[in-house]
Structures are given as C-alpha cells and as structure tokens.
Amino acid sequence: VRIGLVFVVDDEKVVEGQEDLGVALVRAYNFIQQDQGSDKAFLWLNSVYTLARNQDSPLSLEHVREKFRRKYPGDDIADVIGADTDYDDKRRAGKPFYQRT
C-alpha cells in the first residue's frame, strides 16, 4: 500500500509563498521532505494545522512561518517560500494530477 499527498494549489508561475498560503505550505513541505524525509515533513504539516486549531483560527501564512522558524531557527523562511526558491519543482504537478483523477 502506498499513500501520498497531492497538493492542489495555485499553479501560476508568478504566485509565490510570501503571499499565498498554499504555495508557502508546499514549498516548506518540499524543503523539509528533502532535508529530513517525507515522514518528518508530514509531521510538520500536521503541526501547522494543529497550531491553527489550538489558536481557534483559520490557517494562515503566520502559522506556516511560526512552525518553520521553530523547526529551522537558523534558516530564513523567505529563501524557502519566496521567489526563486529551489523548493517549487513539484507545486505545478498537483493540479493536473488531480484533474486527471
């Protein structure tokens, strides 16, 4: 059995994670997946949603930023979710996959 995540977010090239929550989540997830593996990236994603739920607020960019800073205090999140990031290669594949299924 194989289980995976498909992120269906804005796939326009000009959209970046500093302004779009979905793009920020995907890019941060990709960074953590490459750094620590899929299991750690999934746990981080869950922690972002848990933070929002515990604060009784809708998920926001600030939740993504806060959880990323806690996990990677020495890294600049703008390098991960901003323009010209190395962690955007899979973002545009989610929507076409979703539309085919």
Side-chain angles (χ1 to χ4, degrees):
V1 175
R2 185 177 184 140
I3 298 173
L5 295 175
V6 176
F7 292 95
V8 181
V9 299
D10 194 328
D11 61 350
E12 294 296 321
K13 189 150 180 80
V14 296
V15 177
E16 64 173 88
Q18 296 283 25
E19 298 149 8
D20 186 277
L21 173 61
V23 173
L25 272 174
V26 170
R27 289 177 177 175
Y29 178 90
N30 288 341
F31 174 86
I32 297 166
Q33 182 183 36
Q34 288 179 25
D35 185 53
Q36 296 186 351
S38 297
D39 56 333
K40 300 291 187 197
F42 182 77
L43 290 172
W44 175 84
L45 186 63
N46 186 55
S47 75
V48 174
Y49 280 93
T50 299
L51 176 64
R53 186 180 65 236
N54 289 345
Q55 293 178 351
D56 198 28
S57 65
L59 190 63
S60 71
L61 279 167
E62 192 50 42
H63 294 122
V64 173
R65 289 183 184 112
E66 182 178 338
K67 293 305 285 186
F68 187 88
R69 285 184 197 120
R70 285 185 193 175
K71 188 162 188 70
Y72 294 98
D75 290 326
D76 185 1
I77 190 169
D79 293 339
V80 174
I81 68 172
D84 299 324
T85 182
D86 293 333
Y87 307 101
D88 196 40
D89 57 331
K90 300 174 189 171
R91 173 175 62 103
R92 299 179 82 194
K95 189 181 266 183
F97 178 81
Y98 176 75
Q99 290 170 336
R100 284 192 311 267
T101 60

